Amino acid sequence: MNKDEIKSRAVFASKFAAVATTVGSAVGLGNIWRFPYEAGVHGGGAFVLCYIAFVLLIGVPVLYSEFFIGSVTGSNVFGAYRKLAPRGHWQLTGYIGIVASLMILSFYSVVAGWTLEYSVESALGQLDFIESEVGDGQFVTLTTEWRPVVWTVIVLAFNTFILLRGVTKGIERASNILMPALFLLLIAFCINSFTMPKFGEGVRFLLEPDFSAITPGVLLGAMGQAFFSLSLGLGCMMTYASYFKKDTNIGKTAITTAMLDTSVAVLAGIIIFPAVFSFGLSPQAGPTLVFEVLPYIFSQLHGGMVWSTLFFLLLFLASITSTVSMSEISISFFMEEKRMSRRRATLVSSAIALAGGLLCALSFGPMSEVKLAGMTAFNLFDYVSSNICLPVGGFICSVFAGWVVRRSYLREHFAVYGAKGRVMMCILMVFLRWICPAAIVLIFLNSIGVL
Ligand code: TRP
């Protein structure tokens, strides 16, 4: 590997920044919007149990391998696979990463647009808390027709602005401050949740698994969610790890990221479900769930308007630290493989996301009848990327790190942990070689009815 090539790339300033940025990527709408709605649709406790199992069994090992591959090569996804295995065609996996990350960016920007709109509407005192009716309340008026298009464009413009300022300045600074602030606010709302009349019912729905409810759909959904929430499978974490300082402790970073990410999701569940039951709503509302429920919660609080503005603003900012990380996959590819300037690479990736974003934004309004396989553009992008592309990308990454990467690289890497290193490496290898690939394949087969 060429040392100068590595040196000339950006590097995160500190170890704290490495954790803050990876947590910034992981924590976002996936935890606070997608997790509760997926859990609601898939029956609550059973889904949550599978989700946590997948985070531990598949998420942490794959996260480790992405970190390892990224930091040892210091490259974008294509470069990373190529450097470690010059003769295979492993780098082609990078294309899955690029296509799927742009798909995710498309629908994700629409949801980030909702959060920004909610925040602005609350600040202006126009979010009408009390009278909203589920199904045809304000969520519908806010998100149908052309309005989401405007907000999606604003989100992508904001994202582009941060990306143009570069990795270290833009991404790092934002993550260092925003993530802790959001976490504190979530804890405050969680405490408030205790006062909900149906607190017990909500928490039971979330945490009490009904094993008979574990269907192939639940397993696939939970696996997709684990990948989505940890930003895995597309080389996003690999790209970030390529910016790590050389002495970053990958094991600690992986475990801290997984723990914080999972706690944010569970906190979000504890905030949402007691409210869902207390206000007589349905947990099965799908992607709109959180946006229908939260205004009810804020309407019960003193100074609800202020809480609501603050919460949606922080959620918006948390989603920007995630959109930035998704964009970085294609930007680093365009820069390093296609020799574009950072500016050009950013504009190209934003333009593609804008096209996709418009399709998704319109799929709640004028294009709600345009469907493929029974799904609108929004749902299709979400389903295909999360439930198919991410696990396939994760499978390849796991097999690559487990079977293809030269043992000497791994041994050298694990030597930094001292005596514990050997044991850690053996355990990780069992997961990467056998457990992760087998689990992913079994869940796929199961979901298409073969098993
Ligand atoms: N993990 C982020 C969230 O939970 C979303 C995300 C960021 C992502 N980068 C990614 C998902 C890369 C898949 C791949 O909000």
Side-chain angles (χ1 to χ4, degrees):
M1 247 167 268
N2 180 344
K3 283 246 167 64
D4 293 335
E5 205 176 313
I6 298 175
K7 249 195 252 156
S8 66
R9 299 178 91 244
V11 176
F12 290 141
S14 62
K15 289 182 203 165
F16 177 74
V19 176
T21 40
T22 49
V23 173
S25 166
V27 173
L29 295 170
N31 311 61
I32 294 166
W33 159 73
R34 201 175 187 281
F35 172 79
Y37 104 64
E38 282 279 318
V41 170
H42 290 118
F47 175 89
V48 177
L49 182 76
C50 298
Y51 166 74
I52 292 178
F54 291 141
V55 166
L56 295 173
L57 287 180
I58 309 180
V60 174
V62 174
L63 184 56
Y64 198 106
S65 61
E66 283 210 18
F67 279 170
F68 168 74
I69 295 173
S71 73
V72 73
T73 57
S75 271
N76 71 82
V77 185
F78 284 74
Y81 278 112
R82 202 173 40 230
K83 280 181 185 171
L84 290 174
R87 260 167 296 146
H89 288 286
W90 294 90
Q91 73 269 23
L92 297 181
T93 321
Y95 287 114
I96 303 182
I98 290 179
V99 173
S101 66
L102 291 170
M103 272 164 94
I104 296 180
L105 189 55
S106 305
F107 71 81
Y108 205 92
S109 313
V110 175
V111 183
W114 298 343
T115 62
L116 186 59
E117 183 174 16
Y118 265 49
S119 171
V120 171
E121 296 278 334
S122 325
L124 297 175
Q126 281 168 6
L127 199 63
D128 182 7
F129 299 126
I130 315 280
E131 284 154 34
S132 54
E133 290 277 329
V134 183
D136 55 33
Q138 58 192 326
F139 181 78
V140 175
T141 40
L142 289 180
T143 57
T144 48
E145 316 253 327
W146 296 90
R147 292 175 65 145
V149 172
V150 177
W151 292 101
T152 307
V153 172
I154 297 177
V155 168
L156 285 168
F158 197 74
N159 184 46
T160 311
F161 172 76
I162 296 198
L163 285 162
L164 284 176
R165 304 198 55 202
V167 184
T168 37
K169 272 193 243 140
I171 305 178
E172 219 178 283
R173 254 187 231 155
S175 309
N176 287 356
I177 308 167
L178 300 175
M179 289 301 120
L182 181 67
F183 202 70
L184 288 182
L185 204 61
L186 282 174
I187 292 184
F189 290 143
C190 196
I191 294 172
N192 173 62
S193 218
F194 287 100
T195 62
M196 294 278 163
K198 300 232 166 123
F199 175 75
E201 196 175 327
V203 170
R204 240 175 289 127
F205 176 80
L206 183 72
L207 299 178
E208 206 172 69
D210 164 10
F211 289 95
S212 67
I214 302 182
T215 60
V218 168
L219 288 170
L220 184 68
M223 178 169 74
Q225 177 62 23
F227 276 102
F228 189 95
S229 197
L230 290 172
S231 308
L232 288 180
L234 305 181
C236 178
M237 291 303 198
M238 206 181 276
T239 310
Y240 265 18
S242 74
Y243 304 129
F244 283 178
K245 278 181 122 173
K246 286 287 155 220
D247 59 350
T248 304
N249 183 327
I250 290 185
K252 251 195 210 153
T253 311
I255 289 180
T256 314
T257 306
M259 263 172 25
L260 285 175
D261 186 66
T262 309
S263 0
V264 172
V266 173
L267 281 179
I270 297 178
I271 295 170
I272 301 292
F273 288 106
V276 166
F277 291 103
S278 302
F279 296 115
L281 308 172
S282 158
Q284 308 226 339
T288 58
L289 176 74
V290 170
F291 290 87
E292 287 167 3
V293 177
L294 284 170
Y296 279 95
I297 302 181
F298 296 131
S299 71
Q300 306 286 305
L301 297 174
H302 290 293
M305 217 176 91
V306 178
W307 290 113
S308 171
T309 310
L310 193 64
F311 178 78
F312 285 115
L313 186 66
L314 280 177
L315 184 52
F316 165 70
L317 295 169
S319 57
I320 290 293
T321 57
S322 302
T323 55
V324 158
S325 74
M326 283 168 219
S327 316
E328 201 59 31
I329 302 175
S330 43
I331 293 176
S332 60
F333 165 73
F334 289 136
M335 281 170 69
E336 289 165 20
E337 303 291 314
K338 300 285 171 211
R339 299 274 154 219
M340 288 186 195
S341 64
R342 178 156 190 103
R343 199 182 143 73
R344 203 187 163 89
T346 309
L347 294 177
V348 171
S349 113
S350 297
I352 302 174
L354 181 63
L358 294 182
L359 278 181
C360 295
L362 291 173
S363 70
F364 285 85
M367 285 180 52
S368 59
E369 292 310 315
V370 183
K371 290 185 179 169
L372 199 67
M375 289 184 259
T376 60
F378 183 100
N379 291 336
L380 188 73
F381 280 21
D382 186 355
Y383 187 87
V384 171
S385 53
S386 313
N387 290 356
I388 302 172
C389 300
L390 302 186
V392 169
F395 175 85
I396 296 176
C397 180
S398 171
V399 169
F400 184 78
W403 296 96
V404 180
V405 170
R406 252 197 263 147
R407 278 296 174 115
S408 57
Y409 286 154
L410 284 157
R411 260 187 233 118
E412 196 184 322
H413 165 78
F414 278 99
V416 296
Y417 296 107
K420 278 186 298 184
R422 283 196 82 83
V423 184
M424 280 174 67
M425 181 170 149
C426 287
I427 297 176
L428 188 71
M429 280 299 124
V430 172
F431 275 91
L432 294 178
R433 290 188 147 198
W434 306 103
I435 299 179
C436 303
I440 297 172
V441 169
L442 290 179
I443 291 169
F444 269 135
L445 292 179
N446 176 291
S447 73
I448 54 173
V450 175
L451 268 178

